[in-house]
Amino acid sequence: SQSLVASYINNLLNGKHKEAILCLEDPFGEDEWSSYTNLTAAVGTSKDTSGSPSVSSPPLLIIGDNLVSSNANLISEAATKQSCNALLLKPSQCGTISDSIAAALEAESHGWTVMTARRVGETEDDFIADFSVGISSKFIKAGAPARSERLSKYNQLLRIEEML
């Protein structure tokens, strides 16, 4: 299984795929720190402070989700080990908005890209869209715009864009 994963990752990194791939979320098990570190080293850890894709951005975002669990201490550990270059921030996992902001700030202090995620089983509450813009998250993960609880987030993003 490990050799299959290594082969797949090698194919991704060497352009042996047809589609452009922007990110890999939790490409390994949550205890496989060395696999994360090796992959992140292979794709690069260039800091992206521009807010949009550029030549300084890593060619592939390695997103820590279960690896860091939106926890500032685990984010710091992952940054020290250079195991990721991006964070999937789940405010519902952090517990409080203050903890969510702390996690985002910790990730950003290491040059990571932050992607904010909605909660599974969410309602039509669109707070996550406001929060995502408020912390300058580069991405929001809200699912396909096929259900009303997802559309509410995208509609709020559009309203925010109109105000800006």
Side-chain angles (χ1 to χ4, degrees):
S1 171
Q2 187 72 354
S3 63
L4 180 62
V5 171
S7 174
Y8 177 72
I9 297 299
N10 187 46
N11 286 341
L12 286 175
L13 296 177
N14 292 312
K16 295 181 180 175
H17 55 286
K18 296 178 183 176
E19 299 80 18
I21 297 176
L22 176 64
C23 60
L24 292 175
E25 178 183 327
D26 277 346
F28 305 105
E30 59 194 65
D31 295 325
E32 297 182 55
W33 288 90
S34 62
S35 296
Y36 276 91
T37 299
N38 292 337
L39 176 59
T40 302
V43 301
T45 57
S46 303
K47 293 187 176 190
D48 175 16
T49 58
S50 67
S52 59
S54 68
V55 293
S56 67
S57 296
L60 182 64
L61 295 175
I62 308 303
I63 301 176
D65 178 8
N66 294 332
L67 182 72
V68 296
S69 302
S70 298
N71 177 294
N73 293 329
L74 290 174
I75 293 165
S76 180
E77 181 179 352
T80 299
K81 293 179 179 182
Q82 296 184 345
S83 298
C84 300
N85 56 26
L87 168 69
L88 184 64
L89 178 63
K90 297 177 178 175
S92 62
Q93 194 174 45
C94 291
T96 68
I97 296 303
S98 297
D99 289 341
S100 300
I101 293 169
L105 291 173
E106 182 66 30
E108 289 171 353
S109 76
H110 296 287
W112 288 14
T113 299
V114 175
M115 176 186 293
T116 309
R118 69 170 177 82
R119 186 170 58 100
V120 173
E122 178 122 10
T123 66
E124 290 187 12
D125 180 43
D126 57 17
F127 169 76
I128 196 71
D130 294 290
F131 181 75
S132 185
V133 172
I135 64 166
S136 300
S137 179
K138 306 293 187 271
F139 302 97
I140 184 169
K141 181 179 175 182
R147 297 168 36 188
S148 63
E149 71 272 10
R150 296 173 181 178
L151 279 171
S152 66
K153 280 78 170 155
Y154 294 119
N155 287 336
Q156 180 64 4
L157 288 171
L158 291 171
R159 286 189 291 271
I160 292 168
E161 181 184 37
E162 287 175 3
M163 289 187 282
L164 298 177

